[in-house]
Amino acid sequence: MPDPSFVFAQSLSGLTAAMFLFLIASGLSLIFGVLRVLNFAHGTFYMLGAYSAYQIVQWLGPGPGRFWLAALGAALAVAALGGIVEHFLFRHLYDKEELYQLLFTYALVLILSDVAKIFWGTQQKSVSRPPELTGSFALFGATIPHYNLLILLLGPAIALAFWFVLQRTRAGRFIRAAALDRETLGALGVNVDRLYTVVFMLGSFLGGLGGALIAPMRATVPGMDTEVIVEAFVVVVIGGLGSFWGTFLGALIYGQVLSFGILLFPRFSIFAVFALMAAVLIVRPWGLLGRPLR
Amino acid sequence: MRAGLAAPATMTAAARWTPALVLAAAFCVPALGSRFYTFVANDVVIWALFATSLNLLVGYTGLVSFGHAAYFGIGAYTTGLLMKKTGVSFLLAFPAAGVFAGGFALIFGFFCVRLTRIYFAMLTLAFAQIVWAICFKWNEVTGGEQGMPEIPYPDFGWLERLGAAVPLVGGWRTAEYYYFLTLGLVALCLWALRRIVGSPFGRILTTIRENPERAEFIGVNVRRYELAAFVLAGGFAGLAGGLFGIFNRGVFPDFAYWTKSSEVLIMTLLGGMGTFFGPGIGALALILLNQQIVSYTEYWPLVLGTMLVVLLFGFPGGLAGAATALWRRARTRPRRA
Amino acid sequence: MQRRMILVALLSLVLLVPVAADAQKPIKVGMPMPLSGPPALFGDPATKGALMFVEELNAKGGVLGRKIELLVRDSKADANEAVRVARELILKDNVDFLVGTLTSAEGPAVSVVAKENKIVFIAPIPKTDQLTAADKLHPYVFRVAATTTMGGRSAAEIVAKWPVTRVATMSFDYAYGQDVTKAFVEHLKKVKPGVQIVDQQWPKLGEQDYNPFINAQMAKRPEAVFSSIWGGFFVTYSKQAKALGFFDAIKYNFIGVGEAATPETTKSMGADYPVGIWGNSYDAFYWGETSAHRDYVARLSKYLKDEYPSSWAIQGYIGMQFLTEAIRKANSTDSDKVAQALLGLAVETPMGKLTIREKDHQANRGQLYGKTVKDPQYPFAIMKPAVYVDPSPFMD
C-alpha cells in the first residue's frame, strides 16, 4: 500500500504536467472554438516559444528577472508570428474545405519546425530555471521544487484571467459571439476579420508562453512539437473542443491518468491516455464540458 | 463536377490504355540495371496503393481520416508476425494483412462513422495512436521500440525453377522478384478498387460525399455505406502495409504513428483527390521529389511544407487536377478558332 | 493556364533529372548516426571523430592508394530511419562499408541490411548483446563498442562495494535498457547476495517528463540507484531528479552507465550537474595515461577547436581504425576478405590495444568508470579517479 506522501507527490507531478498542457491546449481550444479549425501548428508555436525563450535568455545574459522577460518576449514573438500567418495566409482558406485548412496547419508544422532547425541547429538546448526559483521545500514528506509550485499557481491564475476576459469584457463577448455566429456578428458591424486575427494571436500567445515556461524543465529539442500536439488534442477532446474550463479539466485528468498509470499499469499508461480519448469521443463526442457542434 | 470521376464510356482511348502502358513500363524498371531504381519504384508502388486506399475514404466518400496509418501498421505487423515468428507462407500472410486490417477497420469504423467532421477525424486519430501505443509497448509480441527487423522474403524458388524454362523470368535478384510480385499484387488491388469506385456502390459513395442529407433522404443508409468504405479502405491499406513490412526489411511501430497518416494524406492531396489515379501520381511525385531534394539540402520538410501551401492555395486539384484541366484546355482550343 | 503549364514543366524536369552518379575511385564508407535531438549529444561528436581519422588518413595517402570518403547521414536515432538511410547508402551511393548507428534499436536493424547486402558493418556504439548474439551473428557484423553484459557487470562490481542493500534501477524500455539492467541485476545478486532490488522503472526511450518515475522510485526508499539513461535524455532526467531532491535522498549513491560522466554531459549541464554520482565514459580528455592518448587528445582538441574535446569522438575514430586496418590486411575492399581480416584483428587505439575476437566479432572495449567530483582546474565536473575497467572477465 503506497504511503500518502508518495501519493501526494505523484499527484503533484501529474498536476504540474497538467498545468503545462493546459497552457498549450487552452490556446488550441480557443482557436478551435472561434475559428473552427484544429491548428496542428500549435505544437510548433509551443516549440518556438521554448526556443525563443532560450534565445532571449542568451541575449540578455544572467541577471534578475531575465527569465520572466524572456518568457514574455517569447510569447509575444510567437503571437506576432501567429498574427502574420493568420492575416496573410490562413484567412484566405476560411471559405475552403476543412481538410485544406487542416493540411495548411500541417504544412506550417513542416515549415516552422525546419526554420527552427535552421536557426537553432539540431542539438538539444537547455534553459536554466530562474535563479530566484531554484530551491525547493518539503510538504507532507514530498519535495516540491519552487518552480513547479509557481507553475501550479500560474496555471489556474491564467485560466481565471482568461475566463474573466471572456466573460466580463466587451472583447470577450465579441469572441464568444464570433464562436456562435460569425455572420450575424459581422452584420452587426464588428470587424470579424480583425477579431479572428486577434483570437489566433491570443491562442498562439498561450502556446508560446507554455513553451517558454516549460523550457527550464524539459529539453528544447526538434520533435517536441509533434509529440505535444497529440497530447494537446487528447486534452481538448476529453474536456470539450472549444470549452475553456473543459480544457482545464481535460488537462487535470490527463495528468493524473498518466502519472498514476505509471504505477498501476506501467506498460500501458500511454495506451490508457488514448483509450480515454477514444472513449470520450464514442460516448460523449463533444467532451465533458463541451457543447455539440452546430 | 470533379474531373476523372466520369464513367469509362466518356474516356478517350488514350486514357483507357494509359494505365496498362504505365504498368508495362513499371515492369521494365529492373531491366535498367540499377538496384536503386528498383528500390524507389517498389516504394512508390506500395505507397500508391496506400494512398489510393485512403482516397476511397477522403476523395470518394468525403471522410477525412487522420488515422489511416493504423491499418497500414496492422497489416505490416500481421504479415511480419506470421512470416517471421510462425513461419507462415506469404500466400497466407499477405491476405491475412488485409483481413486483420479490415477487421480492425470494422471495429474502429463502427464507432467512427457515427461521428462527423472534426470528431470523426479525432477518433480516427485516437484509434491510430492506440494501435501505435500497443505496437510500441507490447515488447514480447511486436518487439516494442526495436520493431521486428528481418522479415523474410517470400520464397521465390518456384520462380527460379520456372525461369529455367521460360525466358526473362529467371536470373533476377530477390529484391527484383519481390518488386515484380509487389507490382503485380498492387496492380490487382488497384484494379479491384477501380471496379469498386466505378460500381453503383462507388457512385453512392460520391453521392454521400456531395450531400449526406440528400443521400439519406433518397433512402441510402449512409452509415452502412460509410462503414463499408472504411473497411475497404482499411483492408487495402493493410495489404499495402503487409507488402511494405517485407520491402522495408523490418516492421517498426512508427508505421502506425500519426505523422505517417499525414504523409499519405499529403500524397493524396498532391496527386489529386478528385481522380482515381491522382493519389498514385502523388506517391510517385512525392517520393521522387524527396529523393531529388535531399541530395541538395537537408531541409526537405521546409520544401514539402512550402509545396503544400502552394498546392492548397493554387492547385487544389493536385497534379492530376492540373493535368486534366490542361488536357481539356488543349482539346477545346481548336474548336474556339 | 500559364502557371499550370509552368508547374507541370518544372515537375517533369525535376523528375527526369537522374539522381547524381558518384565517382568510383575513393573507398566509400556510409555512416548513419543520429545528428538531431537528444541523441545527437553523442552522435555528433562520434561522427567528428570518424571524420578526423579519415582526414588524417587521407593526408597520408589513404589506404591501398585510395582515399576514404565518409558519407554521413542522420539516422534520427530511429531504427526505421536507420534502415532506410543504410539501404539508400548501399543502393544509391554504392558504399563499400558501413560504420555507424548509435542506439541498440538501430544497430540490429542495420545489421540485417548489412547481412542481406553482404556489406561489412562495424558498430561503434550500440551496446545490446543482441547485436552479436548467436542467433543474430553473421559474417559481416562487428562491434567495437562495449556490450550491455560488460556494462551491467562492471557497474555491479562497483555497486557491490557500496554499503547498501536496497537497490533500484531506472532504464529505458528498449533493448539497451532492458539488457544492461538485466546484466547488472544478475551479476549484483551473484557478487553481493543479500541485496534487494526494491524498484525498477522503465520510462520509454525519448521520455521528456521523468517526474512520475522519479517519485515512484523515491517512494520505495532505495539506498542506491543504477540507471542507463543516456545522452541528452540523461540531462533532462537528472535536472528533474535533482529538483525533486532525488540525489540527496540516495546520498548520491547513483551510477549512470549511459555515459553519465562524459565531459559532454557535465559540460552541457554546468551547475545543474549532480556532482558526486558515479558514471562511465568511453574516453576522457583528462585521462592521459599513455602518450598515445595524450597525442590523440591534442590532435582532437585542435580538430574540434575545443580546449576540452569530446569523449565520443573516439568511438567513431576506433571504428574507422579497425575498418582501414582490415582493408590493409586483406589488401582488398572485397567484403568477404575484409570480414575475414577483421576476425582476431588487433589495433592500437588511443585507449590501448583492442582485439576483435573471432567467436562473436566483439572487441574487448572497456570503459572508464569513476565518481564525479568538482575539480578547480575545469569549469565542470570530472571523474576522479577515472579508472579503465578491463572488460575481459565480463565478456562471457
Side-chain angles (χ1 to χ4, degrees):
Chain A
M1 197 56 223
D3 67 287
S5 74
F6 161 63
V7 174
F8 179 65
Q10 198 70 318
S11 60
L12 266 188
S13 68
L15 272 176
T16 318
M19 284 308 110
F20 282 119
L21 260 181
F22 166 68
L23 277 175
I24 304 155
S26 60
L28 186 70
S29 188
L30 183 66
I31 293 175
F32 182 82
V34 178
L35 277 63
R36 290 277 182 270
V37 74
L38 207 55
N39 180 17
F40 271 98
H42 204 72
T44 319
F45 285 156
Y46 152 84
M47 180 170 82
L48 286 173
Y51 271 116
S52 305
Y54 163 81
Q55 191 60 56
I56 299 176
V57 162
Q58 298 289 100
W59 283 334
L60 292 178
R66 295 287 196 257
F67 174 74
W68 306 110
L69 262 173
L72 189 62
L76 286 170
V78 174
L81 176 67
I84 294 172
V85 162
E86 196 278 342
H87 185 82
F88 290 105
L89 293 171
F90 205 30
R91 165 171 310 202
H92 303 284
L93 287 177
Y94 287 147
D95 48 356
K96 297 247 173 88
E97 286 181 37
E98 264 173 20
L99 174 64
Y100 292 162
Q101 296 172 19
L102 285 168
L103 283 174
F104 173 73
T105 64
Y106 186 70
L108 276 182
V109 172
L110 293 171
I111 295 173
L112 292 174
S113 58
D114 252 10
V115 165
K117 275 204 199 146
I118 293 174
F119 270 119
W120 288 287
T122 53
Q123 298 263 8
Q124 182 171 319
K125 297 286 181 233
S126 204
V127 175
S128 288
R129 279 172 299 165
E132 316 85 77
L133 289 176
T134 46
S136 61
F137 66 98
L139 185 64
F140 299 142
T143 311
I144 306 174
H146 288 151
Y147 191 77
N148 293 31
L149 183 68
L150 181 83
I151 299 299
L152 280 171
L153 297 173
L154 206 58
I158 293 180
L160 275 166
F162 265 90
W163 175 83
F164 184 81
V165 165
L166 283 176
Q167 294 291 120
R168 294 291 157 89
T169 67
R170 200 154 159 270
R173 259 184 293 137
F174 285 158
I175 292 175
R176 280 184 293 130
L180 286 172
D181 190 335
R182 178 197 174 143
E183 276 98 16
T184 312
L185 193 66
L188 287 172
V190 176
N191 186 344
V192 183
D193 281 341
R194 199 167 37 169
L195 191 63
Y196 270 24
T197 311
V198 167
V199 167
F200 200 87
M201 287 177 73
L202 211 54
S204 312
F205 178 87
L206 285 167
L209 185 65
L213 289 177
I214 212 177
M217 295 196 49
R218 309 242 177 114
T220 303
V221 76
M224 64 194 278
D225 52 346
T226 42
E227 248 198 78
V228 87
I229 192 66
V230 180
E231 293 176 6
F233 283 169
V234 175
V235 163
V236 159
V237 158
I238 293 177
L241 282 161
S243 159
F244 199 73
W245 287 113
T247 309
F248 193 78
L249 184 61
L252 286 177
I253 294 176
Y254 182 97
Q256 296 303 319
V257 167
L258 206 55
S259 45
F260 284 102
I262 292 177
L263 289 185
L264 303 171
F265 25 85
R267 277 278 198 82
F268 293 101
S269 48
I270 311 175
F271 165 84
V273 156
F274 291 114
L276 185 60
M277 179 186 183
V280 168
L281 281 166
I282 291 171
V283 170
R284 198 187 153 89
W286 47 90
L288 294 172
L289 295 181
R291 253 168 313 173
L293 262 187
R294 283 200 281 116
Chain B
M1 187 55 200
R2 293 260 196 102
L5 292 178
T10 62
M11 280 201 314
T12 62
R16 232 177 307 165
W17 279 106
T18 313
L21 286 170
V22 168
L23 184 63
F27 265 106
C28 298
V29 167
L32 294 171
S34 158
R35 286 194 297 161
F36 183 62
Y37 288 161
T38 311
F39 172 77
V40 173
N42 207 342
D43 205 18
V44 167
V45 162
I46 297 176
W47 277 91
L49 177 59
F50 187 22
T52 311
S53 76
L54 177 63
N55 203 25
L56 185 65
L57 266 181
V58 177
Y60 286 93
T61 321
L63 291 171
V64 177
S65 163
F66 277 132
H68 208 54
Y71 312 105
F72 186 76
I74 291 172
Y77 273 99
T78 306
T79 306
L81 277 166
L82 285 175
M83 288 186 75
K84 185 177 160 82
K85 297 246 174 107
T86 58
V88 168
S89 120
F90 180 78
L91 280 172
L92 275 174
F94 174 66
V99 167
F100 265 85
F104 276 99
L106 183 63
I107 301 171
F108 294 156
F110 173 77
F111 294 108
C112 291
V113 299
R114 288 160 74 225
L115 302 173
T116 55
R117 296 161 70 193
I118 198 70
Y119 298 127
F120 171 83
M122 284 288 107
L123 189 55
T124 58
L125 179 63
F127 280 132
Q129 288 299 97
I130 287 176
V131 168
W132 169 79
I134 293 176
C135 296
F136 187 70
K137 276 300 203 172
W138 201 3
N139 296 340
E140 299 84 26
V141 173
T142 62
E145 176 96 37
Q146 291 90 260
M148 294 193 295
E150 195 171 20
I151 310 291
Y153 275 115
D155 178 29
F156 289 118
W158 60 277
L159 263 178
E160 291 277 2
R161 288 189 290 276
L162 188 66
V166 179
L168 279 186
V169 169
W172 299 102
R173 298 195 200 93
T174 317
E176 290 161 343
Y177 277 129
Y178 188 67
Y179 170 66
F180 292 135
L181 180 66
T182 313
L183 190 54
L185 288 171
V186 166
L188 217 67
C189 291
L190 287 178
W191 175 82
L193 274 166
R194 194 88 204 269
R195 295 295 303 267
I196 290 171
V197 304
S199 72
F201 171 78
R203 263 172 294 207
I204 293 184
L205 291 182
T206 33
T207 314
I208 291 175
R209 186 198 72 231
E210 307 208 325
N211 195 332
E213 283 95 13
R214 186 177 59 171
E216 195 82 60
F217 193 66
I218 62 174
V220 169
N221 184 340
V222 169
R223 208 123 293 165
R224 207 177 306 160
Y225 275 86
E226 287 180 340
L227 183 58
F230 202 92
V231 171
L232 283 167
F236 280 103
L239 290 175
L243 289 172
F244 192 76
I246 301 172
F247 165 68
N248 198 42
R249 313 312 305 125
V251 179
F252 303 99
D254 54 351
F255 284 14
Y257 199 60
W258 72 272
T259 43
K260 204 119 207 139
S261 298
S262 53
E263 265 181 66
V264 69
L265 199 54
I266 291 174
M267 270 182 200
T268 314
L269 176 78
L270 173 64
M273 297 185 298
T275 68
F276 181 79
F277 287 111
I281 296 173
L284 177 69
L286 200 68
I287 291 176
L288 284 182
L289 264 167
N290 188 351
Q291 283 296 331
Q292 289 293 343
I293 303 287
V294 297
S295 47
Y296 298 120
T297 167
E298 59 196 277
Y299 300 115
W300 158 246
L302 180 63
V303 172
L304 177 61
T306 317
M307 257 177 33
L308 198 55
V309 172
V310 167
L311 261 174
L312 288 167
F313 279 95
F315 304 97
L319 288 171
T324 323
L326 211 79
W327 175 252
R328 268 195 277 136
R329 291 281 192 105
R331 288 186 67 217
T332 58
R333 249 223 236 109
R335 286 206 224 129
R336 271 207 235 123
Chain C
M1 171 70 191
Q2 276 282 69
R3 62 182 181 166
R4 286 176 210 259
M5 292 214 65
I6 296 173
L7 173 70
V8 175
L10 273 173
L11 268 169
S12 2
L13 262 177
V14 171
L15 297 175
L16 288 172
V17 169
V19 176
D22 293 307
Q24 285 301 312
K25 253 214 110 194
I27 300 176
K28 292 206 234 158
V29 181
M31 181 165 247
M33 268 296 179
L35 298 175
S36 55
L41 185 67
F42 292 176
D44 192 62
T47 322
K48 299 224 170 78
L51 284 166
M52 176 173 104
F53 177 84
V54 165
E55 206 178 270
E56 291 175 349
L57 187 67
N58 284 346
K60 290 186 247 163
V63 67
L64 298 185
R66 297 165 67 183
K67 297 220 197 285
I68 305 259
E69 187 185 335
L70 199 61
L71 285 86
V72 180
R73 300 277 184 271
D74 185 2
S75 63
K76 303 196 173 79
D78 176 54
N80 193 16
E81 185 69 18
V83 162
R84 185 163 194 91
V85 149
R87 289 178 82 196
E88 287 190 5
L89 281 165
I90 294 173
L91 295 173
K92 176 167 152 188
D93 302 297
N94 295 305
V95 298
D96 302 294
F97 305 101
L98 281 172
V99 175
T101 69
L102 187 142
T103 72
S104 292
E106 294 177 313
V110 170
S111 177
V112 169
V113 174
K115 176 169 94 166
E116 291 185 353
N117 289 281
K118 298 196 179 16
I119 298 264
V120 165
F121 167 52
I122 297 184
I125 301 177
K127 281 192 182 154
T128 177
D129 288 340
Q130 294 170 36
L131 183 68
T132 49
D135 57 341
K136 296 255 174 53
L137 192 64
H138 59 85
Y140 304 98
V141 65
F142 299 88
R143 177 181 11 215
V144 297
T147 62
T148 47
T149 310
M150 293 183 205
R153 291 188 192 173
S154 308
E157 293 276 330
I158 291 173
V159 172
K161 301 200 180 80
W162 296 349
V164 298
T165 46
R166 298 169 60 87
V167 177
T169 70
M170 167 94 66
S171 297
F172 285 133
D173 189 14
Y174 80 118
Y176 168 64
Q178 292 152 4
D179 291 348
V180 77
T181 309
K182 190 163 110 161
F184 169 76
V185 165
E186 278 174 10
H187 196 69
L188 185 65
K189 289 198 174 143
K190 233 197 311 193
V191 298
K192 198 179 170 78
V195 80
Q196 239 192 316
I197 306 294
V198 300
D199 184 54
Q200 298 204 276
Q201 292 295 331
W202 303 101
K204 71 177 195 285
L205 175 65
E207 184 60 66
Q208 287 295 328
D209 184 10
Y210 297 93
N211 284 295
F213 302 96
I214 298 168
N215 280 327
Q217 189 138 97
M218 280 168 77
K220 295 286 170 60
R221 310 211 185 286
E223 294 167 327
V225 171
F226 165 90
S227 173
S228 62
I229 296 181
W230 53 272
F233 304 120
F234 179 79
V235 171
T236 311
Y237 161 74
S238 56
K239 254 169 78 173
Q240 292 171 358
K242 193 158 185 231
L244 289 172
F246 175 75
F247 295 109
D248 288 311
I250 58 171
K251 302 197 182 57
Y252 288 82
N253 284 326
F254 178 95
I255 181 158
V257 299
E259 287 80 29
T262 61
E264 284 88 332
T265 312
T266 58
K267 239 199 288 184
S268 76
M269 290 186 74
D272 288 328
Y273 187 82
V275 182
I277 62 170
W278 284 72
N280 62 356
S281 177
Y282 272 116
D283 181 23
F285 66 87
Y286 48 82
W287 184 62
E289 282 188 17
T290 63
S291 62
H293 186 260
R294 289 191 291 272
D295 176 64
Y296 161 78
V297 169
R299 291 186 338 247
L300 185 66
S301 183
K302 195 152 151 238
Y303 182 80
L304 295 176
K305 298 191 185 43
D306 191 341
E307 186 182 356
Y308 310 119
S310 145
S311 72
W312 278 90
I314 195 151
Q315 286 309 102
Y317 188 93
I318 291 179
M320 293 307 295
Q321 266 192 301
F322 269 94
L323 178 67
T324 49
E325 270 306 310
I327 294 174
R328 194 171 291 133
K329 180 168 156 197
N331 200 21
S332 151
T333 55
D334 171 64
S335 283
D336 292 300
K337 297 210 178 99
V338 171
Q340 195 58 37
L342 275 166
L343 295 172
L345 182 64
V347 169
E348 279 295 340
T349 72
M351 293 302 285
K353 184 150 103 165
L354 291 180
T355 315
I356 289 185
R357 41 182 215 182
E358 293 202 30
K359 79 172 204 187
D360 59 358
H361 302 194
Q362 173 65 44
N364 54 331
R365 179 65 167 107
Q367 289 184 284
L368 298 171
Y369 286 80
K371 186 175 158 87
T372 53
V373 298
K374 255 215 171 56
D375 186 305
Q377 260 193 293
Y378 308 105
F380 46 82
I382 63 163
M383 285 186 285
K384 202 165 179 175
V387 176
Y388 184 83
V389 175
D390 177 24
S392 318
F394 306 126
M395 282 176 76
D396 287 301

